Amino acid sequence: MLKNIPVWALLWLTPPAACFSQTCNEGADSLSVIELQEVVVKVKPVISKIDGNSYIPTGVQKRTAVSGLDLLSKMQLPGITVNPLTAAITAAGSANVQLRINGAEASSSEIAALRPNDILRIEHHDTPGARYADADAVIDFITIARSSGGNISAEGMNAVGSGKWAAFDNIAATYNHGPSSLAFNAGLFGMQRDNWVRDYEETWHYPHESVTRTETGQPVEIGMRAVVATLGYTLRRDQRYLLNIKGSFNLNHVPAKEEGDRHTMLVTSNSTTPTEITEHTRETSLNPSLGVFYRLFINRSQSVTANITGSYIGSSALHTYREETAGVGGADIVSDVTGRKFALFAEAYYQIRAANFNITAGARHSQSRADNDYTGSETARVIVNRAESSAFGELNFNTGAFNLLANLTASRLSTSQNSLSRQKFAVNPGFGADWEPSNRLRLRYNMNLTHRQPPIADMSDVVQTVQPGMVKRGNPSLRSFRVIDQKLSASFYHPIVSADLLIDYRHEKNPVMTSTSFSRNRFVITPENQVSFQELRSELCLTLRPWADHLSIALSPSLSRYFSHGNNYRHERGIFHLGVNIDFNYGNFTFNGSLMTGAANSMYGEEIISEKDMNMLLVGYKQPRWSIQAGVFNIFMNRYSMTTENLSALTPYISTAHCNKNAYAVVKFSVNVDFGRKTAHSDAPKQFDAAPDTDSGIMNSLK
């Protein structure tokens, strides 16, 4: 009983679940009000917003940062983690994090290309509202807009270790001429390692016996490559209109997948003869897109906006599995999938600001068609059409220390596959309340309700063989499910110390989680609408600044408690996280040290993932036009591992992927060249381009 005291204490602190939905205060697109706040708030570089916070970087942070990603890391924002090796940005308790630049969705490569001096502030919407659709969190970089001159920049991060390497390299160029701007960005990310080992320990419970299967892994090679490129044109006429056209091109190639490559020796409890297992997975996707955004300013307080984005995904996935037993023979399983997916997103909305009110009203529609051909051991063609149409409205009222928000989204969700068609009408309300009694204290509470559609891969009417005696099967009968999110936060700010207590509670009713059954002498893994899934998460973000702008120390311990209630199971699990970040600068010299709890640590359904903590040390020298950093990644780790535990009653297993000598030597550099005469600049107007659809809908045949 004692071990559950912290959980029950948090439950008492968390307000009861209610059927209210997404909350957000986007505010006016004209940033005059926010600019006034930025001038007034000198001591506290945080602007309170009802759906999160807006953070203003200091001059020292801009001067010592080498990119947008580096600036985000140096600012040590509560609940946000930046992995410097992979450029991944995660937000506390959020599965779907959107990155944006001036409101338009962007890739981590585009964030890396931002010049720190051009970033006015970073907005963290931890409870996005109706304007952001299904995002769990939004991190938005607000920049200036120049009217002349240009810039060419390059940044690279390259790491090497024993039998492995990783790289994140980026090049960008911008050109400004009067009201027109042209921007280009290209990024390359890759990794390779030849010492990846996966071990399995699992038990198959047949109706009349149980068999234990133990796999001892051998080293295999894994890797991935990704290329991201964007080209955008912007035409601005102050207080008249804004036009933006943006094309993007994403290429992802995984020659050997981390989760799908293994070489093991299998020994079972009912046989003394070992079996050799070889598994290989290769995936490739090509994703071009084109978006057009237009905003008409009726006057200083009213605007009408429309945008449309079209995208295409061409994908392929090859999975081979082979078992071979000496003197007995073997079994070969092949899955070869090619896919095509077309997607279209369109949206229009009206905004008005009057006195203490901000009002937004509009409509959006998204449509996609996925056409995937499965060949190999199982053959099928799956065509899934999906659409979602919504009308939304949002009202924000601000008076003194109080800020209130309410929004409502009415949606029609539809999915069709072959002769099966499913529709759902949903109403998603939301509410938020914010109280800031002083410049140092703040309390905030948000509730939102959303309806989520199941992944296309889970709904696909197809069967994929995993290994002899086990298959994965899609479920076309899956229904959309309801998600209720509640967030309570308390913040205290002081120039020397600041603290943020974050408490999140999520309740999913009839979520889509996998189940395992036994049918026709084989185990069948299939997604089903289960009873419920709940997560209660608390995090304390403590930031210490003992030496003004030169030294900053951030600590972020957190505890998550998961309650997974399936149709035939109940599981509970607690997971503890700890993040530590130290940032130091003096003159042109910089130092950063970080400890990151494994980002994969989580539970969902019957699966629990535990990833070993990672660490990084970097020292550097920064000049206005160039910088160099060197350091080590995972120097305090002899063995990296990621463990997946499945609690299925029929086929429980523990899979441990690991590699020895996981340390990397890291070198980071940046080069920046300005050209042309720079003239006065202003804030870049916010826009809300939609990111291209990146879900191919292919069901893999991995365990």
Side-chain angles (χ1 to χ4, degrees):
M1 180 68 181
L2 291 176
K3 67 180 181 180
N4 290 324
I5 288 178
V7 175
W8 287 110
L10 290 176
L11 282 170
W12 280 105
L13 288 172
T14 304
C19 299
F20 290 94
S21 178
Q22 295 169 306
T23 57
C24 164
N25 174 24
E26 179 50 44
D29 286 297
S30 172
L31 300 177
S32 56
V33 176
I34 296 178
E35 280 301 312
L36 177 61
Q37 290 176 322
E38 290 178 357
V39 173
V40 173
V41 183
K42 291 287 189 180
V43 177
K44 179 184 175 185
V46 182
I47 300 172
S48 300
K49 304 186 73 175
I50 195 168
D51 66 334
N53 283 317
S54 182
Y55 300 90
I56 306 168
T58 67
V60 173
Q61 289 171 337
K62 289 185 178 183
R63 180 175 59 81
T64 57
V66 300
S67 69
L69 283 175
D70 192 36
L71 179 63
L72 180 64
S73 178
K74 286 182 176 297
M75 292 177 68
Q76 299 176 330
L77 305 186
I80 296 178
T81 301
V82 181
N83 187 323
L85 190 67
T86 64
I89 301 174
T90 56
S94 301
N96 178 20
V97 180
Q98 287 185 5
L99 302 179
R100 292 176 177 259
I101 299 175
N102 298 320
E105 289 198 51
S107 65
S108 58
S109 176
E110 291 176 271
I111 301 299
L114 291 176
R115 300 178 60 202
N117 285 337
D118 288 346
I119 298 174
L120 290 173
R121 62 187 176 276
I122 298 176
E123 298 181 354
H124 177 206
H125 306 278
D126 59 4
T127 314
R131 280 296 305 111
Y132 296 97
D134 291 335
D136 293 321
V138 174
I139 301 174
D140 197 355
F141 292 73
I142 309 303
T143 69
I144 61 177
R146 300 189 183 276
S147 57
S148 67
N151 171 262
I152 298 176
S153 63
E155 183 189 11
M157 189 290 300
N158 295 274
V160 295
S162 176
K164 56 187 176 293
W165 62 266
F168 183 85
D169 300 312
N170 196 80
I171 185 170
T174 59
Y175 175 71
N176 310 293
H177 181 69
S180 298
S181 296
L182 189 65
F184 170 77
N185 169 259
L188 169 66
F189 175 70
M191 60 83 66
Q192 191 82 22
R193 64 173 69 196
D194 60 10
N195 57 354
W196 193 245
V197 178
R198 185 178 293 275
D199 301 325
Y200 270 98
E201 181 74 32
E202 63 181 336
T203 301
W204 287 9
H205 295 291
Y206 293 95
H208 304 295
E209 67 171 335
S210 296
V211 177
T212 299
R213 300 164 54 91
T214 303
E215 296 183 32
T216 303
Q218 307 295 319
V220 297
E221 186 176 276
I222 61 172
M224 65 87 61
R225 315 282 188 272
V227 177
V228 180
T230 60
L231 178 63
Y233 170 76
T234 301
L235 177 63
R236 291 183 299 272
R237 296 289 186 183
D238 292 343
Q239 302 305 319
R240 292 173 58 191
Y241 63 83
L242 168 67
L243 172 67
N244 177 265
I245 302 173
K246 179 180 175 180
S248 67
F249 172 86
N250 295 356
L251 174 63
N252 292 279
H253 177 58
V254 184
K257 192 169 184 176
E258 181 177 317
E259 304 92 341
D261 272 62
R262 79 183 198 260
H263 181 199
T264 63
M265 297 302 297
L266 167 67
V267 176
T268 64
S269 58
N270 61 351
S271 175
T272 59
T273 305
T275 298
E276 183 178 18
I277 295 179
T278 304
E279 184 177 24
H280 174 63
T281 303
R282 185 186 73 234
E283 296 179 349
T284 301
S285 66
L286 177 65
N287 184 199
S289 68
L290 179 64
V292 178
F293 172 95
Y294 180 76
R295 169 167 293 147
L296 174 66
F297 297 98
I298 301 174
N299 52 44
R300 295 185 63 88
S301 61
Q302 299 181 71
S303 66
V304 176
T305 302
N307 70 81
I308 184 169
T309 300
S311 59
Y312 168 79
I313 305 175
S315 55
S316 64
L318 174 66
H319 177 250
T320 60
Y321 178 93
R322 179 172 177 77
E323 288 188 4
E324 187 169 4
T325 305
V328 177
D332 288 290
I333 299 170
V334 178
S335 172
D336 194 356
V337 189
T338 57
R340 299 151 298 280
K341 184 179 181 183
F342 298 89
L344 181 69
F345 176 89
E347 180 180 54
Y349 55 92
Y350 167 78
Q351 292 180 299
I352 183 172
R353 184 177 71 254
N356 295 331
F357 291 90
N358 290 318
I359 301 173
T360 302
R364 68 170 63 96
H365 177 78
S366 60
Q367 185 93 30
S368 68
R369 173 185 171 87
D371 185 351
N372 297 321
D373 288 315
Y374 294 79
T375 59
S377 301
E378 306 282 348
T379 60
R381 184 183 182 189
V382 178
I383 300 176
V384 179
N385 292 290
R386 173 164 288 182
E388 180 173 344
S389 301
S390 303
F392 59 88
E394 187 168 271
L395 171 65
N396 175 232
F397 175 73
N398 181 287
T399 175
F402 292 93
N403 198 356
L404 301 176
L405 181 143
N407 59 51
L408 185 69
T409 301
S411 302
R412 174 185 177 272
L413 316 175
S414 67
T415 302
S416 63
Q417 180 178 184
N418 300 326
S419 60
L420 179 64
S421 179
R422 187 176 295 276
Q423 297 185 23
K424 169 81 174 180
F425 292 91
V427 177
N428 302 328
F431 171 78
D434 180 84
W435 180 46
E436 194 168 7
S438 73
N439 197 38
R440 301 199 186 280
L441 295 175
R442 183 192 182 200
L443 293 174
R444 182 166 59 97
Y445 174 66
N446 296 88
M447 298 183 298
N448 66 67
L449 180 147
T450 58
H451 286 80
R452 304 291 176 90
Q453 295 199 76
I456 292 177
D458 288 348
M459 298 190 70
S460 297
D461 190 8
V462 66
V463 174
Q464 291 283 274
T465 303
V466 176
Q467 59 193 69
M470 178 179 287
V471 299
K472 289 178 70 174
R473 183 174 62 200
N475 186 354
S477 300
L478 291 176
R479 307 182 308 276
S480 60
F481 57 97
R482 187 185 71 190
V483 180
I484 298 177
D485 280 305
Q486 299 183 82
K487 295 180 184 290
L488 175 67
S489 66
S491 303
F492 169 80
Y493 177 83
H494 187 274
I496 297 178
V497 59
S498 59
D500 293 84
L501 176 62
L502 314 174
I503 299 176
D504 299 342
Y505 174 71
R506 165 171 284 207
H507 182 277
E508 299 182 6
K509 180 179 175 60
N510 303 128
V512 175
M513 303 186 293
T514 59
S515 294
T516 304
S517 60
F518 187 77
S519 175
R520 298 181 181 179
N521 204 35
R522 62 183 183 179
F523 294 98
V524 181
I525 303 171
T526 187
E528 293 181 344
N529 286 104
Q530 309 289 345
V531 178
S532 68
F533 178 81
Q534 301 173 71
E535 178 184 1
L536 178 62
R537 186 180 188 278
S538 64
E539 179 174 1
L540 176 63
C541 303
L542 184 65
T543 305
L544 307 174
R545 293 171 286 269
W547 188 8
D549 290 326
H550 297 288
L551 178 62
S552 179
I553 304 170
L555 306 173
S556 55
S558 68
L559 174 65
S560 297
R561 187 71 180 178
Y562 299 92
F563 306 86
S564 186
H565 185 188
N567 299 326
N568 299 300
Y569 59 80
R570 285 178 179 266
H571 304 302
E572 295 183 18
R573 182 65 62 98
I575 296 179
F576 177 78
H577 295 73
L578 175 64
V580 180
N581 187 281
I582 301 173
D583 192 81
F584 173 78
N585 68 83
Y586 190 82
N588 294 325
F589 294 93
T590 62
F591 168 80
N592 179 264
S594 59
L595 171 68
M596 299 163 284
T597 300
N601 289 3
S602 63
M603 176 181 181
Y604 198 72
E606 296 193 281
E607 188 170 271
I608 302 164
I609 300 178
S610 302
E611 184 179 16
K612 197 164 184 178
D613 295 353
M614 294 167 282
N615 57 83
M616 191 167 192
L617 300 175
L618 279 175
V619 295
Y621 183 80
K622 172 74 164 53
Q623 286 286 345
R625 294 187 177 182
W626 61 271
S627 71
I628 184 74
Q629 293 175 287
V632 289
F633 187 80
N634 286 343
I635 189 63
F636 305 114
M637 180 189 299
N638 291 326
R639 183 178 186 266
Y640 168 81
S641 64
M642 179 184 290
T643 300
T644 302
E645 180 181 3
N646 191 288
L647 305 178
S648 166
L650 291 179
T651 58
Y653 68 81
I654 295 180
S655 167
T656 302
H658 57 90
C659 63
N660 295 322
K661 298 179 180 179
N662 194 55
Y664 290 83
V666 181
V667 175
K668 298 181 69 175
F669 69 89
S670 68
V671 178
N672 175 70
V673 178
D674 292 323
F675 60 88
R677 180 175 176 270
K678 296 181 181 178
T679 57
H681 54 258
S682 61
D683 290 15
K686 271 203 170 186
Q687 59 193 65
F688 285 89
D689 292 354
D693 191 328
T694 58
D695 179 14
S696 67
I698 291 178
M699 187 212 305
N700 64 54
S701 51
L702 303 179
K703 187 181 297 185

